[in-house]
Amino acid sequence: MLFAKKSKGFCVEIGEHATLLARLSEPEAPFIVEELKELSSGDADGIVTWTKSTEGKGSTGYAHAACSIYSPKRVVRRHTLDLKRVKDPAYFNEVYAQQFRIEPEKYTIRALNPGDGSEYDQVKGTQKEVLFCGLPSDDVIALQDKLLEQGIYPERLELGTLATLGGMVNYLKFKQTKTPVLLLEIGQETTQSFILSAEGVDISRPIQSGIAAMIPVVQKELGLKDEESAKKLFYSNTFDFTSMGGALVKKLLKELQSSIGFYEVQTGQSIGSVFCTQLPSSLTWLSTTMAGALGVPPLKIELVPWLESLDVKLAEGVSLGLPEERWFGLFSLLASHQNAVPDEKK
């Protein structure tokens, strides 16, 4: 077997709008990113074609990958616990049902420490703050089956939001940024909002408003006959919507301002910048609109120096394209995929 094909490493991020793929020189760090690919999340054939044509899959014929998913029903919530009840086995399920309005038996959920992402110790039960993270168990099974059909073997499956939050905390430490960042994952129906700093996740809140809520505004503002035409135009990237940006994000803005106001009163700190992830490439301008409406600058990520600090290099000819922000979640997954990363970056 002298000439057996050497297996590569793969990373796959499955968002609501796009699937991002990376082929790495090695399955373990340090590695070189040899190829990056972006496909529409609905393009199952495109993913199959890429997996079939890409080299370095090893003897199984599958691309063995670290994968992340942004389930629309995901839960990533910071919560203050009642320490008198922490050791009660039924307590966490009560929180899920009453506070998060989900059916605990249908979810796979972990409790983590919001500062460093390590596992929360329920037996000791000494810490008041916890970050609950989970998704419907059916989503996990469905995604694993789908990935296998597409020629991808998920060696590891992570909640993409968690990888992104871990990556952002690490990035803020790397840049020695002192001011907190508002991170928004703007989905179709829901926006997951977080305020975080180099110390960890301070606030989390799901807002029941996303891109879908902007379509009727587009229809009304442009006098279009139906929502379908408005939707097509909105996603088409052929029309400049920046002039109506304020109207588009008005509902979302109102909800965010109450979260930010609460945080600023509680901590005495102001938000330094805003960072939007998970937007389709035709709507990345929403990030600037959102920042303008909030009166703070968008966070400009410098990915290459940060990646180099994590022992990740880009091969010659591999370009990120603009805006680089779109790759942040995938690279955060890639960074957490390394053995070399200390515990605080899990």
Side-chain angles (χ1 to χ4, degrees):
M1 291 299 284
L2 190 63
F3 299 108
K5 260 200 300 189
K6 199 171 105 176
S7 64
K8 304 277 182 182
F10 296 92
C11 265
V12 180
E13 178 189 81
I14 298 157
E16 274 188 71
H17 306 289
T19 294
L20 303 178
L21 307 126
R23 183 178 45 137
L24 316 166
S25 59
E26 308 282 337
E28 304 293 343
F31 33 56
I32 294 164
V33 179
E34 295 183 339
E35 185 189 3
L36 290 172
K37 180 87 175 164
E38 177 176 3
L39 294 162
S40 158
S41 274
D43 185 5
D45 292 345
I47 295 169
V48 172
T49 306
W50 181 82
T51 316
K52 275 184 179 164
S53 66
T54 197
E55 51 150 357
K57 293 187 288 287
S59 55
T60 62
Y62 283 95
H64 285 239
C67 304
S68 67
I69 176 180
Y70 291 80
S71 162
K73 292 183 176 173
R74 65 193 178 278
V75 169
V76 181
R77 301 280 292 276
R78 184 173 163 135
H79 186 74
T80 304
L81 298 169
D82 175 353
L83 289 181
K84 293 192 190 79
R85 297 208 49 210
V86 165
K87 291 175 187 176
D88 172 358
Y91 176 50
F92 279 8
N93 277 356
E94 271 178 44
V95 172
Y96 306 152
Q98 291 167 14
Q99 301 290 324
F100 306 159
R101 304 270 188 273
I102 58 171
E103 298 172 70
E105 65 281 1
K106 291 186 177 173
Y107 268 70
T108 302
I109 300 189
R110 283 281 182 82
L112 306 176
N113 292 307
D116 61 7
S118 59
E119 198 95 20
Y120 180 86
D121 190 339
Q122 201 177 349
V123 178
K124 280 189 186 159
T126 51
Q127 271 181 273
K128 267 174 77 166
E129 296 301 318
V130 67
L131 192 67
F132 287 117
C133 309
L135 72 165
S137 307
D138 285 355
D139 283 14
V140 178
I141 296 159
L143 181 74
Q144 284 174 330
D145 291 347
K146 194 172 159 187
L147 285 166
L148 288 168
E149 279 169 26
Q150 293 169 344
I152 296 164
Y153 181 85
E155 290 257 324
R156 205 177 88 224
L157 188 55
E158 265 196 37
L159 208 50
T161 300
L162 262 191
T164 301
L165 292 172
M168 183 54 73
V169 169
N170 187 282
Y171 180 80
L172 295 173
K173 278 184 184 153
F174 168 71
K175 295 293 280 185
Q176 300 182 331
T177 303
K178 299 283 180 265
T179 53
V181 170
L182 171 69
L183 187 142
L184 302 175
E185 290 178 345
I186 303 177
Q188 203 56 34
E189 305 291 342
T190 308
T191 296
Q192 302 280 347
S193 70
F194 304 92
I195 297 176
L196 65 167
S197 65
E199 304 306 311
V201 179
D202 296 326
I203 276 188
S204 66
R205 186 179 165 207
I207 296 168
Q208 298 310 313
S209 179
I211 293 170
M214 298 177 191
I215 307 296
V217 183
V218 171
Q219 186 195 349
K220 190 181 162 205
E221 293 275 326
L222 296 177
L224 298 167
K225 63 179 190 300
D226 56 37
E227 282 194 13
E228 198 47 47
S229 332
K231 189 177 177 179
K232 274 193 183 130
L233 184 63
F234 194 46
Y235 280 99
S236 70
N237 212 8
T238 55
F239 184 87
D240 186 357
F241 286 98
T242 43
S243 60
M244 67 173 81
L248 291 171
V249 300
K250 192 177 175 184
K251 190 179 172 196
L252 192 51
L253 188 68
K254 198 175 160 196
E255 297 285 347
L256 284 171
Q257 279 168 331
S258 62
S259 285
I260 294 167
F262 172 77
Y263 174 80
E264 291 181 345
V265 167
Q266 293 284 94
T267 63
Q269 279 196 298
S270 296
I271 302 299
S273 54
V274 65
F275 185 66
C276 298
T277 71
Q278 293 304 302
L279 286 166
S281 49
S282 61
L283 297 181
T284 48
W285 55 268
L286 272 170
S287 189
T288 314
T289 299
M290 204 71 231
L294 287 161
V296 293
L299 181 69
K300 280 285 166 241
I301 293 281
E302 292 174 54
L303 276 178
V304 176
W306 175 58
L307 291 172
E308 286 178 353
S309 78
L310 296 168
D311 251 353
V312 177
K313 291 188 168 59
L314 300 182
E316 222 173 297
V318 171
S319 116
L320 297 172
L322 293 171
E324 285 189 6
E325 284 75 17
R326 286 178 311 128
W327 297 97
F328 189 80
L330 180 75
F331 282 127
S332 295
L333 173 70
L334 203 140
S336 68
H337 174 41
Q338 300 188 79
N339 306 340
V341 174
D343 283 352
E344 72 259 18
K345 173 61 189 71
K346 278 181 187 165

